[in-house]
Amino acid sequence: MKVSIITSCFNHERTIRCCIESVLGQDYPDIEYIVVDGASTDNSLAVIKEYEDRITHIVSEPDRGMYEAINKGIRMATGDIIGLVHSDDFLYSPNTISHIVERMCQTGADFLYGDGLFVTPGDTDKVVRNWIGGDYRLWKVRHGWLPLHPTCYIRREAIAKRGLYNETYKIAADSDFLFRYLLGGDLTVTYLHEYIVRMRMGGLSTDAAKRRQMWMEDIRMYRSHGMNPTVTKLEKMMWKVPQFLLAKFK
């Protein structure tokens, strides 16, 4: 099975190398790697081009944000399975993709998710949030639970049916995407109880300056799915509490 991995990047010269090397260092042989750069004004593109002989596709052009960049990558992807590794993040181990493919082959799942670690930008061994996905249950989704977005690997056929990211959201497009895929209950979902990614704190949804925008987008997004927006938002926040507690023991 071919796996397409998409990285979107804009002005992340400090972290993009680590991200790229975590993908190129995988032991799984059939990876299509697509890097979509939003016309970075720092040294990001120069770093990306150091690996151009090993990256399947490199695109660098202006865009309207991360989700447009991801959608560009998905449209280019030819793999059986599609996943994301953001420019601030990196895969947990060299055999992460091998384990994902093995589990999806064993189960025939359309959608796989796993565990992830939020770490401090300056010390990626220091865990701030320990996100243990837990078993999939439809009732949990209906009460605001979602898997960690960068741990999700989805068959391209399912994406063709469910559609791409809604670019009218600047922060909540990933949650909207996951609700569209999981609320119907008709996709085969499997949970891989392994760490898939380390994520540096400080992304769009973890930046304190973006919290108000995130709140407003979440309310609009929940309402669009027929959910009680305020109640579901509060339920979502409650699902996160154990992650911070678990991090103290990691």
Side-chain angles (χ1 to χ4, degrees):
M1 297 179 74
K2 182 193 288 187
V3 180
S4 295
I5 297 178
I6 300 163
T7 293
S8 63
C9 177
F10 181 70
N11 288 350
H12 281 289
E13 64 179 353
R14 293 183 179 180
T15 58
I16 187 63
R17 186 184 303 278
C18 179
C19 168
I20 290 172
E21 291 185 352
S22 79
V23 176
L24 298 181
Q26 293 296 301
D27 62 9
Y28 189 73
D30 197 1
I31 293 177
E32 173 185 61
Y33 191 25
I34 301 168
V35 180
V36 183
D37 175 69
S40 291
T41 57
D42 65 359
N43 201 43
S44 295
L45 185 58
V47 175
I48 293 165
K49 285 189 172 180
E50 290 180 29
Y51 301 90
E52 62 185 342
D53 60 330
R54 300 173 64 195
I55 296 174
T56 314
H57 300 290
I58 298 174
V59 177
S60 183
E61 60 189 19
D63 56 45
R64 294 183 298 274
M66 178 177 68
Y67 298 113
E68 181 184 2
I70 293 172
N71 282 342
K72 286 180 186 178
I74 293 174
R75 292 186 185 102
M76 297 174 65
T78 61
D80 303 290
I81 300 167
I82 297 176
L84 310 176
V85 182
H86 297 319
S87 54
D88 270 348
D89 308 339
F90 54 101
L91 293 169
Y92 186 78
S93 76
N95 53 25
T96 293
I97 300 300
S98 291
H99 291 180
I100 288 170
V101 173
E102 181 181 13
R103 181 57 174 263
M104 293 191 81
C105 287
Q106 287 174 346
T107 62
D110 303 303
F111 188 114
L112 175 144
Y113 68 93
D115 304 329
L117 296 171
F118 285 82
V119 298
T120 60
D123 181 2
T124 56
D125 289 325
K126 185 176 181 181
V127 177
V128 180
R129 286 171 63 184
N130 184 4
W131 189 309
I132 303 298
D135 292 335
Y136 168 76
R137 296 289 185 271
L138 184 55
W139 71 264
K140 291 165 61 176
V141 179
R142 290 172 175 162
H143 287 276
W145 174 90
L146 286 174
L148 182 59
H149 181 226
T151 72
C152 298
Y153 284 72
I154 307 170
R155 290 187 188 265
R156 186 159 56 94
E157 299 149 344
I159 294 176
K161 293 177 183 176
R162 283 289 198 278
L164 303 180
Y165 291 82
N166 182 344
E167 295 171 23
T168 67
Y169 295 110
K170 302 306 176 186
I171 297 176
D174 51 355
S175 294
D176 171 71
F177 180 90
L178 295 176
F179 274 121
R180 281 192 281 120
Y181 279 63
L182 297 176
L183 271 175
D186 57 334
L187 294 181
T188 305
V189 181
T190 190
Y191 167 49
L192 180 63
H193 190 11
E194 293 182 15
Y195 292 113
I196 289 176
V197 67
R198 286 182 184 260
M199 304 175 62
R200 291 177 177 84
M201 293 290 284
L204 284 178
S205 61
T206 59
D207 183 348
K210 299 289 186 180
R211 292 292 174 89
R212 177 174 172 78
Q213 182 182 358
M214 180 174 65
W215 179 278
M216 299 305 293
E217 287 198 6
D218 275 353
I219 293 297
R220 175 164 70 95
M221 181 268 300
Y222 291 134
R223 187 173 286 121
S224 75
H225 291 288
M227 306 165 85
N228 183 309
T230 303
V231 171
T232 310
K233 177 66 175 176
L234 292 173
E235 288 177 321
K236 175 187 176 182
M237 294 168 66
M238 292 303 296
W239 285 111
K240 293 182 179 181
V241 171
Q243 300 163 17
F244 292 96
L245 297 176
L246 286 170
K248 296 182 181 299
F249 303 98
K250 180 63 181 174

